[in-house]
Amino acid sequence: MFGILAFITETALMMLEPVYLTYKGLEAAETGEGSLEPEQWRRLLIHWIVYGAFRAVESLARPWLPFYDVLKIGAIVWLRAGGSETVYQTFIRPFLVEHEPEIDQWIDQLNRTTNTVMAATTVISAAVTADLDATDD
């Protein structure tokens, strides 16, 4: 029962409004009509950073914490009531600031690997789909 309630709470508070506000901000930026204020953008970006971290921690914590769904509901309500700023400033931002060079290096390596895989996939795809009769002439 609490699992369903936790899902509904998460969807309603952590996804629906922030997704819609992000959409509105992007559309305003595209059309040039209206826009989110810088503080609104900041709150949205902090929300997405904290929510991403929340989901990552959740995958590790769920099997080990009794009454996890009840705790999750409380955490979601607290995060939406202003706790996201606290979590970001206290834990996430200091961690990212301290490890930014290593994270940037890891992301660069990941991008290089992705580009290599995409190039190899293109070559393989072209070879597989090549018209073999055209080369016989």
Side-chain angles (χ1 to χ4, degrees):
M1 161 142 170
F2 285 113
I4 293 170
L5 187 57
F7 172 77
I8 292 169
T9 303
E10 179 180 2
T11 301
L13 296 180
M14 299 301 282
M15 294 174 64
L16 292 179
E17 182 193 19
V19 164
Y20 186 70
L21 288 176
T22 303
Y23 157 77
K24 294 289 283 184
L26 291 173
E27 287 299 306
E30 286 278 322
T31 63
E33 296 178 18
S35 183
L36 295 178
E37 296 295 320
E39 183 56 30
Q40 290 173 301
W41 275 118
R42 184 180 181 285
R43 278 196 317 269
L44 272 174
L45 293 172
I46 286 174
H47 169 83
W48 290 121
I49 291 168
V50 171
Y51 184 59
F54 177 81
R55 294 299 303 221
V57 169
E58 177 183 35
S59 65
L60 299 172
R62 176 174 228 119
W64 303 104
L65 287 176
F67 305 107
Y68 177 79
D69 291 321
V70 174
L71 295 171
K72 179 178 178 178
I73 292 168
I76 288 170
V77 170
W78 178 74
L79 288 171
R80 285 293 289 170
S84 287
E85 178 76 26
T86 302
V87 169
Y88 177 73
Q89 292 297 341
T90 305
F91 300 106
I92 296 173
R93 185 174 183 278
F95 175 84
L96 293 175
V97 167
E98 182 180 341
H99 299 286
E100 188 172 357
E102 295 91 348
I103 294 168
D104 287 342
Q105 186 177 27
W106 181 80
I107 289 172
D108 287 344
Q109 180 61 44
L110 182 64
N111 287 335
R112 284 193 300 276
T113 301
T114 300
N115 291 339
T116 301
V117 169
M118 293 304 292
T121 302
T122 302
V123 169
I124 292 169
S125 178
V128 168
T129 59
D131 185 5
L132 295 178
D133 292 333
T135 58
D136 288 339
D137 293 333

